[in-house]
Each structure stands twice: as C-alpha cells, then as structure tokens.
Amino acid sequence: MPAERFDFPNAQGQKLAALLDRPDGEPRAYALFAHCFTCGKDIHAAKRVADGLTALGIAVLRFDFTGLGSSEGEFANTSFSSNVADLVAAANELRRSARAPAILIGHSLGGTAVLAAAAEVPEARAVVTIAAPCDPTHVTGLFKDRLEEISTKGEVEATLAGREFRISRAFVDDLAEHKLLERIANLRKALLLFHSPTDEIVGIENASRIFTAAKHPKSFVSLAGADHLLSRHSDAAYVANVIHAWAERYLGAPQGASEAPHDPKVVVVRETRQGRFQQEITVGAHRFLADEPVDVGGLDSGPGPYDLLLAGLGACTAMTLRLYAERKALPLERVTVELEHSRIHAADCEDCETKEGMLDRIERAITLRGALDAEQRRRLLEIADKCPVHRTLTSEIDIRTVERPEITRP
C-alpha cells in the first residue's frame, strides 16, 4: 500500500511532515522510525526498512524532524533535545490516532534519539538502533573544524552532506548535556543493535559501548559489508527481516485483529504488492519474505522459490542425520549441507528414465564433522536419501489446485 500523509504538530505547534506506511490488513504492531542527522523521512534506508516491515505486517511512521525536509521550523533553532521531543510528539500522535508504537527504530543520530526518548514512550517494548553513535556529541565531528568559530560567533553556516546548515552554539551545548549511557543502563526495554564493522561515519566502537551499557535483553547484529546509510537495498531488507523476527518475542497479540489465525499446519503465501515478486510467507507464528534477485526484476528481499525448496531439503537432510546419529550414538559433531539446483538435458542423465527434454537436477554435498569411520560415513549418506523431503521430491506427487473465495470482513 502507498504511504499515507500523517502530519502532526511538534511541541511548538509547528507541523511536522510524516508518512505512515501501513500493511494490508490490521497491523501486527506500529513502529516509529527516526532518521539520521540532516537526513529525512524519504532517505532510502528509512523507506526500504519501512517497506520491509509493512510487508511483514508492521506499520511504520517516519517523519522529518523540525526544520528538515517538509517539516516546518528552522533547523538552526533545533537541538538534540528538540529531536527527542519530536519523537515523543510523533508517538503521542500515533497513540491518539491509531496505536502507540511498540517498536522504536533509529538510524544514526536518530538511533541515539530513540534511546533518549524511549523512557517517554511507555508502550514501546522494543528499541532498535542502526549505526547509532553512543553519544550525541559524536555529530560535532562533522564540523569539528568550525567548533571554535561557533563558540566565538554563536552561529555559523556549515556544509553537511552537500547542503548548508546553520549550526548554533546552543545546539552544540545541548549535545553535551545528555548523559546517554545512563539512560541506556535504565532502558528497561529489549534492545537490538545493528552496526557495520566497516562503518566509516560512526565507528563500531559506538555499538560496543551501547551494548556494554545496556542490560538484557539485548542483541547485536553485524551488518558486514554495509555502509553507514544502508545504500544497498539488500542491507535494508535484511535489517527489516531481522527486526521483525527479533521483535516477535516482545510483541503481544495484535490489538483489534479481526482475521482468525491460520491453521499452524497450513503455509500461507500472500503478495505484499511491494515490487513484482515479493511474497509474505506465514508458517504458524513465523513470517518471512520470498523474492527474486534484482537482476530479474525482484527486490532481493528474501530467498527465491527454488532457494526455499533447497533449504527445505537441506534442513530435512541435516535433521534426519542428527536423529539417526543420536539413535546410534555416532560421534557426529556437525552436519553441513550445500545444495544447488540446475536444469540438464535428460540425455545427460544415465540413471534417469526420461531420455528426452530437460530435467531438474539438485546437487547435494554433505559435510560430516566428527570422528566417524568409513562405514559410519557411508551409512549416514545412505540415510540422507531417506529424509522425508527427499522422499517427497523423488516420489510421485499429487498437487491439487482449487480456487478459494476471498473472505470479506466488515
């Protein structure tokens, strides 16, 4: 669904420009997203993370802080404190108009801001930071060569991200007043940190300090290879998927949900209408995405259909070998299964009954770690062919397709 306008007033009565990304149907929960310093709600990272979360049933409110983007006010009159106040105002508006945010998400300085604002949003049960500084004063590094001039003149024009901004002494002084690590220690909410070890804007040591200061439950996810702005679509999609899977533990049942729960034995696949191919897959309490690579028109936000097929066979293989090894008391330490799908000419398959046209081939390589003798290894490879999914794929399968009428709910 396209994002809807959701403008709201800040503490001074100035209108802040906002967009609410809603999923199809009743949202599982609401999330509030805070963008990076001098960025805006439309930055690629914010939009792509929002797209990924709405595809998984979570509504996301993203907005421009005072004086940025389409929001009213002057940036020169803002501060880190006003950013925190804007976040609280956004949460209040969500609470009034829809439902208070259960998840607070912040990118870069926005992550620092959500850590500072979390205590003022009691309904928020989960806090997520992406490449966040551990101290708001970190942003002064962007204009460190002008700090003395700011102190002397009271205000200067500084070029940040290719644009001119007025930076005041009051802004710098306000940054130094926040004791963020103390707030993190008293967060009393689940915390998830994302950070790239090669982030050149906000170093990985910031994540370490936040993680050390926080109390459990807390989690850290490395965004290896990602840049500070999550410029690659796949990185933002990965963040959305991990947030959803992680936050499920801390979210209660969706309020006001009218749709009856599906039979946990039934796998449900539904178009998200994001991109050409993206699908939401629901398996009991689990939700994840399937998609296709960008080079064939997809968003690369999840594994493809054949990837899922191979994953099912690989998982079944490893589970079957583990059960057999336990039953026979074999010294099997770990199983790794690598699979690849291809199409081959039937004439190239000596053992196949079909001799014309094309055939599907799955190459399965199994690594068995442990002090196993030759006979035990041979037997384990035999057992691999007996896993239930393997038997299903190599037996006659009866697939019946029917149309199920859409249920219209009031």
Side-chain angles (χ1 to χ4, degrees):
M1 294 178 65
E4 62 183 62
R5 290 289 296 272
F6 196 85
D7 298 349
F8 62 92
N10 65 8
Q12 287 71 45
Q14 298 163 320
K15 185 174 70 174
L16 302 188
L19 292 174
L20 181 60
D21 298 274
R22 292 182 181 270
D24 292 330
E26 180 66 20
R28 175 79 174 83
Y30 283 77
L32 178 58
F33 191 105
H35 61 71
C36 52
F37 184 56
T38 73
C39 299
K41 66 182 182 304
D42 299 315
I43 189 174
H44 287 316
K47 185 178 187 307
R48 289 168 178 170
V49 170
D51 286 346
L53 288 174
T54 54
L56 294 166
I58 296 176
V60 181
L61 177 65
R62 45 195 170 98
F63 69 98
D64 293 328
F65 283 115
T66 300
L68 291 172
S70 301
S71 288
E72 295 178 348
E74 291 292 330
F75 178 82
N77 298 328
T78 66
S79 63
F80 183 75
S81 294
S82 72
N83 287 349
V84 173
D86 287 350
L87 273 167
V88 175
N92 291 341
E93 185 64 21
L94 263 181
R95 183 186 299 109
R96 185 188 68 82
S97 302
R99 198 189 317 162
I103 309 171
L104 304 178
I105 307 170
H107 180 208
S108 194
L109 190 65
T112 314
V114 298
L115 289 169
E120 299 184 59
V121 188
E123 300 91 342
R125 298 187 287 279
V127 177
V128 180
T129 66
I130 307 166
C134 64
D135 190 311
T137 58
H138 183 277
V139 300
T140 60
L142 298 175
F143 45 85
K144 59 184 178 181
D145 57 333
R146 309 290 300 278
L147 287 174
E148 185 175 345
E149 186 179 0
I150 292 171
S151 178
T152 302
K153 295 183 177 180
E155 183 176 288
V156 301
E157 292 277 348
T159 303
L160 305 174
R163 293 178 293 164
E164 292 294 321
F165 292 92
R166 281 189 295 157
I167 307 295
S168 68
R169 182 168 54 210
F171 177 88
V172 175
D173 291 343
D174 177 77
L175 292 172
E177 292 178 2
H178 292 270
K179 307 300 181 183
L180 188 65
L181 293 181
E182 294 178 9
R183 297 197 188 190
I184 295 171
N186 296 302
L187 189 61
R188 301 184 188 279
K189 302 178 190 291
L191 175 63
L192 173 62
L193 306 174
F194 290 96
H195 217 111
S196 170
T198 55
D199 191 326
E200 297 181 352
I201 306 299
V202 179
I204 189 67
E205 67 278 2
N206 287 271
S208 298
R209 293 188 66 189
I210 294 172
F211 190 84
T212 300
K215 294 182 174 63
H216 286 289
K218 57 183 178 179
S219 304
F220 172 76
V221 176
S222 175
L223 295 176
D227 61 19
H228 182 71
L229 293 178
L230 297 187
S231 301
R232 290 188 310 195
H233 191 287
S234 58
D235 291 328
Y238 173 73
V239 166
N241 284 331
V242 174
I243 290 174
H244 175 266
W246 170 84
E248 278 290 325
R249 180 177 294 271
Y250 308 105
L251 300 179
Q255 301 175 15
S258 59
E259 186 176 347
H262 292 292
D263 184 337
K265 297 179 181 178
V266 176
V267 175
V268 180
V269 181
R270 182 183 292 110
E271 281 190 311
T272 67
R273 305 304 297 160
Q274 301 290 335
R276 295 177 63 197
F277 301 120
Q278 191 182 78
Q279 311 290 321
E280 177 196 28
I281 301 174
T282 304
V283 186
H286 307 287
R287 294 188 183 188
F288 53 97
L289 296 178
D291 205 342
E292 290 284 8
V294 174
D295 58 3
V296 296
L299 301 175
D300 197 26
S301 60
Y306 276 101
D307 299 326
L308 294 169
L309 177 70
L310 296 180
L313 175 59
C316 182
T317 301
M319 291 176 185
T320 301
L321 295 183
R322 174 54 54 199
L323 289 173
Y324 179 83
E326 289 180 354
R327 188 165 64 248
K328 297 296 184 178
L330 300 181
L332 178 63
E333 296 177 6
R334 175 170 291 179
V335 179
T336 302
V337 185
E338 298 176 73
L339 304 106
E340 184 175 356
H341 170 262
S342 61
R343 298 274 290 170
I344 64 168
H345 292 283
D348 295 334
C349 181
E350 296 180 358
D351 300 327
C352 298
E353 295 182 5
T354 303
K355 296 302 179 184
E356 296 181 1
M358 302 294 290
L359 292 175
D360 289 279
R361 168 171 286 175
I362 295 176
E363 301 279 354
R364 177 174 55 183
I366 302 174
T367 301
L368 305 171
R369 180 192 295 179
L372 300 159
D373 60 34
E375 176 57 26
Q376 290 170 332
R377 292 178 181 276
R378 183 195 66 77
R379 183 56 180 156
L380 283 168
L381 292 182
E382 287 183 354
I383 293 299
D385 289 345
K386 299 182 184 301
C387 95
V389 172
H390 181 107
R391 288 182 170 182
T392 297
L393 291 174
T394 55
S395 64
E396 183 176 1
I397 303 175
D398 179 20
I399 299 177
R400 302 183 182 187
T401 302
V402 298
E403 180 181 5
R404 175 166 294 170
E406 183 178 10
I407 298 176
T408 303
R409 300 186 182 276

